Structures are given as structure tokens and as C-alpha cells.
Amino acid sequence: MAELMAAGEEPEILFWVGCAGSYDERAQKITRDICKILHHVGIKYAVLGTEESCTGDPAKRAGNEFLFQMQAMTNIEVLNAYNIKKIVTGCPHCFNTIKNEYPGLGGTYEVIHHTQLIQDLINEGKLKAEGGESFKGKKITYHDPCYLGRGNGIYEAPRKALEVLDAQLVEMKRCKSNGLCCGAGGAQMFKEPEKGNKDINVERIDEALQTNPQVIAAGCPFCMTMLSDGIKLKDKEQEVKVLDIAEITARANGL
Amino acid sequence: MVAQILFLVLTLAAIALFTVNLRKIIRNIRLGKPADRQDQPQKRLMTMLRVAFGQSKMVVRPIPAFLHFFVYIGFVIINIEVLEIMIDGLFGTHRIFNGLGGLYNFLIGSFEILAFTVWVSCAIFLIRRNILKLKRFSGVEMKSWPKSDANYILITEILLMSAFLLMNAADAKLQLLGASHYVNAGAFPVSQYLINILPSSESALVIVERSCWWFHIIGILAFLNYLPYSKHFHILFAFPNTYFSNLEPKGEFTNMASVTNEVKAMLDPSFVPAETEPGKFGAKDVTDLSWVNLMNAYTCTECGRCTSVCPANITGKLLSPRKIMMDTRDRITEVGQNIDKHGAEHQDGKSLLDDYISREEIWACTSCNACVEACPVNIDPLQIIMELRRFAVMEESQAPGSINAMMGNIENNQAPWKYSPADRFNWAQES
């Protein structure tokens, strides 16, 4: 972003990568695929690079409003300094926080999640499912991330992105507004679960496996971790792939 | 005449007692912190009409939705009959509305059918709770009083409907006998089948008819006064509760204004914050919660839809969103009783956090909003959990160790993991 600024240019959209997308090895692949999609359709985008910083979401959900607002205000200063208007995020948590909680602190932007961007590009005819891996007839089940689905009512965009694949979409018993959490939200990602008789991600994987899928589609790096761990635990890594909507889109287009 | 005076006294006493208790509850709710829920009145009204009147969130579970609809519609419509009972009781008349002719017959006939469907629905509800023992109605918080409360309500409704139908049957038989005072009025599609089980002498029938009439109205007055002590309070509070419910996206958590001032002052020393009252961060006790949270607690009818979809509860953790609401109501009731007994300044040394809700419960929440989505009357248990977390973290620094480590990482590395900020852009180099 600093380079664009120095060249006196402004991006159409800022890609907010997020901490998981920046550091987590698995999520880095998703990040790169989102970049490939942006590049493929010729959108002029920028990233903040080392100037990006945690949105403060996990701190806020853990109850630390101080730390959240410190992070938020620092980020808003950076975003406003670059005159950012539109943001696409690779993570529903970043998406929810910047979209809903930053405006009250002085940061108002048009914020979309990457599955919404993909939906828009498909609707505009800029993105198809051609020239790459065929998902035709494959059984895919989509896991709704809480902060995209119930948190913000976005159920259709990710499904739309899957519909163009001509695959066989199967819904889990608990889906859309009734979707079951992967177990990572509310800062659970960063702690051991409380005492119980089962891990939440295992409960979810059991349900996903009931649909007999070849692909479990995700839209959140935390869900990705939880679902992948579940699949590993069930020893189903060979039969079932957990893929982000961005990865599926990139593969289908041979990017 | 004696009957009319007795009726008047009973009615006034019941209304007075109910008013006293209702005012206490409203006072208790007002012990909560302010929350602005006055915006967008039109949208609020539509939400109330859709969710409370229209029962839109009940349909997710069709069987109870169907049965509950009968009880709900029966409650609303049969209350028209209560108006007639009130007038008859006060003026010593009998079936005062019979002048409506065909319409009256239609109304009474409809009430009878509704009374019958209410009766059957309540019986099925009792079977679901006590014989089929549905999982949703069990749980640590559903022992003793809450369990009995549900059964008392259902039995009372069955008794009230039985009295109503038996009263009509006796009335119909008296009409057939041509008894004086019993005008030919009403249609009796259900109670006609009860006529044969009744005695045939006129005096005995009058006793049955009058007993049922009195039982029915005294039952209703007693039930009215049972509401403030019961989960059944939802029949009234569902309406304001949905009206004042959150209209923003569920993922959005409030930004604490008191924190904003401090953070602004830290980032910019020249910033002078507007005067705000010093208070604690988050909630330790019910009086630290907002009035909306407290109204939510009084509205909860303990149906357990929240708990049955809670990922933590499903996987055997201690957290139950229903228990969060019940604990909040029990505690605010206790705080209210303390005020009544010992005055407003009294402290009993207890608090919602620890004495009612444990740390283990609040730290089991994934903030997934499933409980909020599932509630048929828009109750928000998540907000209470978050306020308790805020207190634990910001006032006490009592978070689980790994949460503290995560927050330390954000402070030092601007990421929840221990990675260097300088490495944040490394993802672009590899592939």
C-alpha cells in the first residue's frame, strides 16, 4: 500500500489479509489464492503488508475492550491515512469487526468478505469456473462460519460461488442460520476447551461426514483449522479435502 | 347481590396485587444500566408484530409451534369471553352478549373449539415433558421449581378449559330444561358431548354451572397473580422484549464508550473526554447489566431452544444459555427482595458472577450466536456472557492463562500469535 501511495495512486480495493492469513501456513495458501483471483480479474488492489495489525477481534470477544479499541483506533488511523474506501477481508472475524465495530470509532468503509467478492465477480461475468480443475458432480458441503452467517446474515454468497462449479452441493443437517459453530469463535481458538465430553470441531466433522462429501468448503481460516484438525483426527485426509471457497474458485479457474 | 360484591372485591384485589408485583418487576428492570433501544420505532414495531404476534421464530420446530399456536390463539381469543364474565359478574347478568344473536353463537362455538384444542395441546405438552421426557426440558437448571412451574402452568390451563367447557355443558342442559335466568344463547359444539355426564336435576345443574363459572374466573385471577413468579410471564413480556430487541447485526458487539474515552486520551494526550460517570467495566452483578438484559431474564420461558443449539452444551460443557437467563432472573429477584426488606443500600455480598454463574460457564462460550438466533422472543444470553467476561478480564485480570498469552501477543506483536510484525508480509514471498 505504501508503494501505491508513493506513486500517487489509490487502489480500487484494499485486501485485509488478517493475522491467520498472514502467519498461519494453511491460511497463507488461501491468502495467495485470493490474490490470484484479484489479479486474474484485473482489480487494482493493495495490501497493508507489515502495516497491517490485528483488528482486535479476539481481544474483544475475550472481554478486553481496551486492547480491542487500541488496536481498532491504530488501524483506523492507518486506513484513513491511506484514504481507504473499500475493503475485502479473508476472514469473517476481521470482516465483522471492521464492518460493524469500526464505524463507531471513526472508521467507516465498505467492507465485504471474499466470498461476497467472488459472488459479485461471478454475477458480473468476470469469473467463471473454466480452465482449471473440474468439480463437476463432486459432493461438496459448505460449513457456515458464525460471524459470516448468523453474525451478518451472509448465507448465499458462498453458496453462489459453489453453484457455478456444477458440483453436487449437499447441506449438513445444521446449516445456514442453524449452522453449528466449528468451536473456534469467541477467542476459543486461543485456549483449550472447557471440560466436556466431546470437542466441538469433532461434533461438526461427524455431521459433515454424514453427508459423505469429497470437499468440505469453508470461508474462515479458524474454521479451516478446526475442520482440518477434525478430518485428521478421523483419519479421512485422503478421502475428504477441506478447502476455502477462494481455493476452490482459484482451482476451478486454473489459477 | 352478595355474589356481585364478592366478585368485585376479588377482582379488585387480584388486579391490585398484580399491579404491586408488576411494578416491583419494572423497578427491578430499571436497576439495570441504560441502553438506547428507542431508535427505528417502525422497524421495532414490525419486529414485535412478526416475532411476538406472528410467532415467526416458533416455526423452526413445527410440532411445538403448532401446539403452541393453539394455546396462544386460545389464550388471546378466549379472553373475549372473560370480558363477558366480568360484566356478568359485576352486574349479575347472564350471558350479556347474547343479544349479538348469530354472532354470539359463532363466538361461543369458536371458544369451545379453541378451549378443546388448548386442552389437547396442554395434555400433549405434559406428555412431552413428563412421559416422553424430551431432552430439551431437562438439564441441571430444570430441576425442582422450574420443572414444577411448567407442570403447574399446563395443569392450570387444562383445569381452566375443563371448567369452561363443563360450565357451558351445564348451561346448555339448563337451557334445554327451560330454567329461568338461563336464556337460550350460544352454540356448544364441544360441551354438548358432556351433557350426559351431568346430573339431570335443575338445582344440581345450577350448582355445577355456578361452581365452574366461579372456578373459571377465580382461576384466571389467580393465574394472573401467578405470572410474576413464573416463567409464564412471557405471555406479557414477549411483546416489549421483541420490541426492544437488538436490530443490529448479531456479530456486532457494543463498543464501550467509557473505554473509548480512555483510549483516545492515551493515544492523544490533548484529548479531553466528555464527563462520564465512573463505573466498573463489564458486569459482576445483575445491576451492572443493562435493563434490556434484565427484561430478557423476566421474559425467558425456559423452553431451552438456546441450550439445545449451544455448541458448548451439546458437547457436554457446563454452559447453558438458558441457565444464564434463569440465574440472571433469580439474582435480580433476590436483589429486589433485598431492597424491599432492607432498603436500597443493602449489600448481601453475593453477585451474579461466581454465586450464580461460574467462570467455567462463561469461558465455554464460542460467541456463535446460535442461542440468540434460536430464541423465539429475541432474548440475548450472549450479551450477558460477554459483560461477565469483560468484568473478569478488565477489572480482575482473571482470564485463562492462554487467553492472557493471546492478549499479550496482540499488545506486543499486533497478532494473537507469537510472530514478529516484520514477518507479516512473508506470505507473499513463498508459494
mmCIF file of all heavy atoms in Angstrom, chain A residues 174-193:
data_model
loop_
_atom_site.group_PDB
_atom_site.id
_atom_site.type_symbol
_atom_site.label_atom_id
_atom_site.label_comp_id
_atom_site.label_asym_id
_atom_site.label_seq_id
_atom_site.Cartn_x
_atom_site.Cartn_y
_atom_site.Cartn_z
ATOM 1 N N ARG A 174 -27.401 -29.309 10.265
ATOM 2 C CA ARG A 174 -27.432 -27.966 10.852
ATOM 3 C C ARG A 174 -26.691 -27.031 9.902
ATOM 4 O O ARG A 174 -25.465 -27.050 9.838
ATOM 5 C CB ARG A 174 -26.755 -27.971 12.223
ATOM 6 C CG ARG A 174 -27.583 -28.654 13.294
ATOM 7 C CD ARG A 174 -26.825 -28.840 14.580
ATOM 8 N NE ARG A 174 -25.889 -29.951 14.489
ATOM 9 C CZ ARG A 174 -25.313 -30.521 15.554
ATOM 10 N NH1 ARG A 174 -25.550 -30.072 16.768
ATOM 11 N NH2 ARG A 174 -24.461 -31.524 15.407
ATOM 12 N N CYS A 175 -27.437 -26.224 9.165
ATOM 13 C CA CYS A 175 -26.787 -25.321 8.221
ATOM 14 C C CYS A 175 -27.451 -23.949 8.260
ATOM 15 O O CYS A 175 -28.467 -23.764 8.917
ATOM 16 C CB CYS A 175 -26.855 -25.895 6.804
ATOM 17 S SG CYS A 175 -28.527 -26.062 6.184
ATOM 18 N N LYS A 176 -26.857 -23.023 7.550
ATOM 19 C CA LYS A 176 -27.336 -21.636 7.487
ATOM 20 C C LYS A 176 -27.567 -21.083 8.904
ATOM 21 O O LYS A 176 -26.690 -21.202 9.731
ATOM 22 C CB LYS A 176 -28.579 -21.549 6.609
ATOM 23 C CG LYS A 176 -28.244 -21.979 5.167
ATOM 24 C CD LYS A 176 -29.415 -21.818 4.230
ATOM 25 C CE LYS A 176 -29.024 -22.321 2.848
ATOM 26 N NZ LYS A 176 -30.145 -22.407 1.947
ATOM 27 N N SER A 177 -28.741 -20.512 9.182
ATOM 28 C CA SER A 177 -28.914 -19.859 10.486
ATOM 29 C C SER A 177 -28.849 -20.862 11.638
ATOM 30 O O SER A 177 -28.671 -20.494 12.789
ATOM 31 C CB SER A 177 -30.225 -19.087 10.530
ATOM 32 O OG SER A 177 -31.305 -19.970 10.394
ATOM 33 N N ASN A 178 -29.008 -22.122 11.316
ATOM 34 C CA ASN A 178 -28.941 -23.154 12.347
ATOM 35 C C ASN A 178 -27.580 -23.860 12.353
ATOM 36 O O ASN A 178 -27.397 -24.892 12.990
ATOM 37 C CB ASN A 178 -30.078 -24.163 12.102
ATOM 38 C CG ASN A 178 -30.293 -25.079 13.287
ATOM 39 O OD1 ASN A 178 -30.039 -24.681 14.423
ATOM 40 N ND2 ASN A 178 -30.724 -26.296 13.028
ATOM 41 N N GLY A 179 -26.618 -23.296 11.627
ATOM 42 C CA GLY A 179 -25.304 -23.931 11.498
ATOM 43 C C GLY A 179 -24.611 -24.099 12.844
ATOM 44 O O GLY A 179 -24.760 -23.276 13.741
ATOM 45 N N LEU A 180 -23.829 -25.182 12.955
ATOM 46 C CA LEU A 180 -23.099 -25.407 14.204
ATOM 47 C C LEU A 180 -21.708 -24.791 14.095
ATOM 48 O O LEU A 180 -21.016 -24.966 13.095
ATOM 49 C CB LEU A 180 -22.989 -26.911 14.485
ATOM 50 C CG LEU A 180 -22.288 -27.266 15.805
ATOM 51 C CD1 LEU A 180 -23.202 -27.015 16.985
ATOM 52 C CD2 LEU A 180 -21.826 -28.723 15.806
ATOM 53 N N CYS A 181 -21.321 -24.116 15.141
ATOM 54 C CA CYS A 181 -20.003 -23.473 15.232
ATOM 55 C C CYS A 181 -18.898 -24.529 15.117
ATOM 56 O O CYS A 181 -19.057 -25.666 15.525
ATOM 57 C CB CYS A 181 -19.925 -22.778 16.588
ATOM 58 S SG CYS A 181 -18.352 -22.047 16.981
ATOM 59 N N CYS A 182 -17.738 -24.122 14.584
ATOM 60 C CA CYS A 182 -16.596 -25.049 14.478
ATOM 61 C C CYS A 182 -15.901 -25.192 15.821
ATOM 62 O O CYS A 182 -15.078 -26.076 16.021
ATOM 63 C CB CYS A 182 -15.601 -24.534 13.442
ATOM 64 S SG CYS A 182 -14.704 -23.066 13.997
ATOM 65 N N GLY A 183 -16.203 -24.265 16.738
ATOM 66 C CA GLY A 183 -15.612 -24.331 18.069
ATOM 67 C C GLY A 183 -14.525 -23.307 18.333
ATOM 68 O O GLY A 183 -14.000 -23.221 19.438
ATOM 69 N N ALA A 184 -14.189 -22.492 17.325
ATOM 70 C CA ALA A 184 -13.046 -21.579 17.486
ATOM 71 C C ALA A 184 -13.439 -20.160 17.888
ATOM 72 O O ALA A 184 -12.603 -19.396 18.352
ATOM 73 C CB ALA A 184 -12.244 -21.524 16.190
ATOM 74 N N GLY A 185 -14.709 -19.805 17.714
ATOM 75 C CA GLY A 185 -15.124 -18.416 17.946
ATOM 76 C C GLY A 185 -15.010 -17.989 19.401
ATOM 77 O O GLY A 185 -14.766 -18.809 20.286
ATOM 78 N N GLY A 186 -15.212 -16.680 19.603
ATOM 79 C CA GLY A 186 -15.213 -16.148 20.970
ATOM 80 C C GLY A 186 -13.896 -16.365 21.681
ATOM 81 O O GLY A 186 -13.852 -16.574 22.878
ATOM 82 N N ALA A 187 -12.793 -16.323 20.911
ATOM 83 C CA ALA A 187 -11.425 -16.487 21.436
ATOM 84 C C ALA A 187 -11.129 -17.917 21.874
ATOM 85 O O ALA A 187 -10.095 -18.194 22.470
ATOM 86 C CB ALA A 187 -11.121 -15.498 22.581
ATOM 87 N N GLN A 188 -12.038 -18.868 21.569
ATOM 88 C CA GLN A 188 -11.768 -20.280 21.897
ATOM 89 C C GLN A 188 -10.573 -20.808 21.107
ATOM 90 O O GLN A 188 -9.911 -21.751 21.547
ATOM 91 C CB GLN A 188 -12.995 -21.159 21.581
ATOM 92 C CG GLN A 188 -14.220 -20.885 22.425
ATOM 93 C CD GLN A 188 -14.049 -21.259 23.889
ATOM 94 O OE1 GLN A 188 -13.274 -22.127 24.234
ATOM 95 N NE2 GLN A 188 -14.763 -20.566 24.756
ATOM 96 N N MET A 189 -10.315 -20.193 19.944
ATOM 97 C CA MET A 189 -9.184 -20.584 19.105
ATOM 98 C C MET A 189 -7.883 -20.578 19.901
ATOM 99 O O MET A 189 -6.963 -21.335 19.629
ATOM 100 C CB MET A 189 -9.082 -19.576 17.944
ATOM 101 C CG MET A 189 -8.001 -19.849 16.939
ATOM 102 S SD MET A 189 -8.443 -21.265 15.925
ATOM 103 C CE MET A 189 -6.885 -21.563 15.119
ATOM 104 N N PHE A 190 -7.823 -19.701 20.888
ATOM 105 C CA PHE A 190 -6.554 -19.463 21.581
ATOM 106 C C PHE A 190 -6.499 -20.117 22.949
ATOM 107 O O PHE A 190 -5.637 -19.809 23.748
ATOM 108 C CB PHE A 190 -6.297 -17.960 21.680
ATOM 109 C CG PHE A 190 -6.378 -17.305 20.325
ATOM 110 C CD1 PHE A 190 -7.540 -16.659 19.921
ATOM 111 C CD2 PHE A 190 -5.310 -17.389 19.439
ATOM 112 C CE1 PHE A 190 -7.626 -16.090 18.660
ATOM 113 C CE2 PHE A 190 -5.402 -16.830 18.175
ATOM 114 C CZ PHE A 190 -6.558 -16.175 17.782
ATOM 115 N N LYS A 191 -7.452 -20.982 23.242
ATOM 116 C CA LYS A 191 -7.423 -21.655 24.545
ATOM 117 C C LYS A 191 -7.865 -23.107 24.393
ATOM 118 O O LYS A 191 -8.442 -23.477 23.377
ATOM 119 C CB LYS A 191 -8.321 -20.932 25.552
ATOM 120 C CG LYS A 191 -9.798 -20.954 25.185
ATOM 121 C CD LYS A 191 -10.621 -20.073 26.111
ATOM 122 C CE LYS A 191 -11.068 -20.803 27.363
ATOM 123 N NZ LYS A 191 -12.074 -21.858 27.114
ATOM 124 N N GLU A 192 -7.585 -23.879 25.418
ATOM 125 C CA GLU A 192 -8.100 -25.245 25.447
ATOM 126 C C GLU A 192 -9.591 -25.172 25.747
ATOM 127 O O GLU A 192 -10.041 -24.298 26.485
ATOM 128 C CB GLU A 192 -7.400 -26.040 26.561
ATOM 129 C CG GLU A 192 -5.968 -26.416 26.232
ATOM 130 C CD GLU A 192 -5.859 -27.206 24.937
ATOM 131 O OE1 GLU A 192 -6.618 -28.176 24.772
ATOM 132 O OE2 GLU A 192 -5.021 -26.837 24.074
ATOM 133 N N PRO A 193 -10.378 -26.090 25.174
ATOM 134 C CA PRO A 193 -11.805 -26.056 25.504
ATOM 135 C C PRO A 193 -12.048 -26.366 26.983
ATOM 136 O O PRO A 193 -11.217 -27.008 27.620
ATOM 137 C CB PRO A 193 -12.407 -27.152 24.613
ATOM 138 C CG PRO A 193 -11.267 -27.949 24.099
ATOM 139 C CD PRO A 193 -10.037 -27.131 24.202
#
